[in-house]
Amino acid sequence: MLNNKNLSMLRWIGTIMGVIGAILVASNTEFSKYGFLAFLVSAILWATVAQIIKDRALLSLQITFMCVDLFGIYRWFYLTT
C-alpha cells in the first residue's frame, strides 16, 4: 500500500500531466497530438489513486477518460498523416 506522501505525489503528477495535455491540445500545433498521451498518463495515475482510495466515481470517470484518450491517440497517430 502506498503511503500518503506517495499517494500525494501520484495526484500531483496526474494533475500536472493533465494540465500539460490540455495546453498541448489547445495549442493546435503539430504537437497537439501528444496532449492525448499526457491525458492518458494523467488518467492512469488518477485511476490508480481512485482504486487505492476506493473512489468508484473517480475511477469510472478516469476509465472513461482513458477510452477517450485512446480514441484521440488512434485518430491523431493512425488516421492523420
Side-chain angles (χ1 to χ4, degrees):
M1 193 68 151
L2 293 174
N3 61 32
N4 285 339
K5 183 178 180 182
N6 290 335
L7 197 58
S8 179
M9 185 175 65
L10 285 179
R11 286 178 169 143
W12 277 108
I13 294 171
T15 298
I16 291 166
M17 292 303 292
V19 170
I20 290 170
I23 291 168
L24 286 170
V25 170
S27 70
N28 198 23
T29 65
E30 70 267 12
F31 300 107
S32 290
K33 63 185 175 184
Y34 297 106
F36 287 104
L37 294 172
F39 278 144
L40 182 60
V41 171
S42 174
I44 290 168
L45 292 173
W46 274 106
T48 302
V49 169
Q51 182 68 29
I52 291 168
I53 65 173
K54 299 182 182 1
D55 187 335
R56 293 180 70 181
L58 180 59
L59 181 58
S60 298
L61 179 65
Q62 296 309 317
I63 290 170
T64 302
F65 284 161
M66 281 188 258
C67 293
V68 172
D69 299 334
L70 290 170
F71 179 65
I73 289 167
Y74 171 74
R75 287 190 41 86
W76 275 89
F77 285 89
Y78 298 104
L79 296 182
T80 61
T81 50

